[in-house]
């Protein structure tokens, strides 16, 4: 689960007595949806430089990947050495075709006694792709088998199993969308249950 945090830049004289903290985390919705839920929280922290509570009204906007959530003209009061959550929201963010996603998160706080703004580029966890993978035997001897394979997209890693997934052997020098590999060390007159793992 990707996550992060940053603080806003304070603007305005009374804002020197507070700190605005922004935190976020994301959860994948899977390759079929190709999106993530991104939860954002904005909090104000009252600093020790003032012995009185900061009170008034605030308005706030959170913008993530061109989606905006707003809190209008809301009363608040936060005492010294305390904090207050100003806003939370969950955004549904679509990923790129390859499952990656980076986007801008910006927050603006305004009102009659405190102001702050800031932004950060956030990177979500890549959503692993689902894809078809085909392989089949082309030739064999008593102790070897040559396997052809093809995929719809480039792959980076390929492993095969001949014991129904109990152990896997990595195939060296794999790339692209098709190729072949040789399984060695087979025993004559023996049946094997095969399996494949890939990284795309």
């Amino acid at each position: 689960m990707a996550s992060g945090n940053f603080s806003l830049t304070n603007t305005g004289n009374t804002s020197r007595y507070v700190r605005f903290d922004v935190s976020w985390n994301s959860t994948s919705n899977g390759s079929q949806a190709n999106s993530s839920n991104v939860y954002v929280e904005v909090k104000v922290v009252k600093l020790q430089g003032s012995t009185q509570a900061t009170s008034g009204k605030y308005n706030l906007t959170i913008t993530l990947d061109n989606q905006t959530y707003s809190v209008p003209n809301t009363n608040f009061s936060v005492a010294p050495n305390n904090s207050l959550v100003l806003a939370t929201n969950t955004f549904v963010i679509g990923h790129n075709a390859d499952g990656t996603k980076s986007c801008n998160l910006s927050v603006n706080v305004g009102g009659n006694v405190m102001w702050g703004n800031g932004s950060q580029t956030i990177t979500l966890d890549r959503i692993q792709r689902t894809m078809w993978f085909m392989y089949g035997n082309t030739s064999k001897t008593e102790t070897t088998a040559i396997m052809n394979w093809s995929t719809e997209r480039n792959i980076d890693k390929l492993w095969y199993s001949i014991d129904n997934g109990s152990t896997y052997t990595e195939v060296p020098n794999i790339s692209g969308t098709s190729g072949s590999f040789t399984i060695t060390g087979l025993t004559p007159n023996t049946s094997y249950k095969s399996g494949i793992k890939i990284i795309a």
Side-chain angles (χ1 to χ4, degrees):
M1 180 174 67
S3 62
N5 59 77
F6 62 98
S7 294
L8 303 184
T9 299
N10 291 13
T11 58
N13 291 333
T14 56
S15 294
R16 69 181 181 273
Y17 299 122
V18 299
R19 185 183 73 240
F20 301 105
D21 292 336
V22 181
S23 60
W24 64 272
N25 62 74
S26 68
T27 305
S28 168
N29 293 319
S31 59
Q32 185 171 359
N34 198 34
S35 67
S36 289
N37 290 340
V38 181
Y39 172 83
V40 180
E41 178 181 280
V42 182
K43 180 171 63 176
V44 61
V45 179
K46 179 69 174 183
L47 305 177
Q48 295 179 351
S50 172
T51 59
Q52 296 181 338
T54 297
S55 302
K57 290 182 179 291
Y58 73 92
N59 53 73
L60 178 149
T61 58
I62 304 170
T63 302
L64 178 60
D65 199 35
N66 297 316
Q67 301 180 39
T68 298
Y69 173 79
S70 299
V71 177
N73 204 33
T74 301
N75 293 315
F76 81 98
S77 181
V78 58
N81 300 316
N82 281 271
S83 63
L84 176 70
V85 174
L86 300 178
T88 63
N89 192 59
T90 299
F91 299 84
V92 180
I93 302 298
H95 285 235
N96 301 320
D98 64 356
T100 61
K101 185 63 178 182
S102 293
C103 51
N104 184 260
L105 169 60
S106 64
V107 177
N108 184 276
V109 180
N112 63 340
V113 296
M114 63 179 187
W115 306 267
N117 58 69
S119 65
Q120 185 180 77
T121 298
I122 68 174
T123 299
L124 310 183
D125 290 330
R126 182 183 181 218
I127 298 175
Q128 294 297 317
R129 320 316 292 151
T130 57
M131 60 189 299
W132 59 256
F133 183 95
M134 300 179 63
Y135 74 106
N137 175 269
T138 57
S139 63
K140 60 184 178 180
T141 68
E142 288 188 340
T143 59
T144 65
I146 298 175
M147 309 297 292
N148 279 340
W149 60 270
S150 62
T151 63
E152 62 178 324
R153 288 190 302 274
N154 289 336
I155 67 172
D156 301 315
K157 298 280 187 179
L158 169 63
W159 296 263
Y160 69 85
S161 171
I162 58 174
D163 55 10
N164 203 29
S166 294
T167 60
Y168 282 88
T169 301
E170 183 176 354
V171 180
N173 304 317
I174 286 293
S175 64
T177 59
S178 64
S180 65
F181 60 93
T182 302
I183 301 174
T184 61
L186 303 178
T187 301
N189 301 314
T190 302
S191 296
Y192 294 92
K193 292 184 177 181
S194 62
I196 290 289
K197 292 196 303 185
I198 60 174
I199 293 179

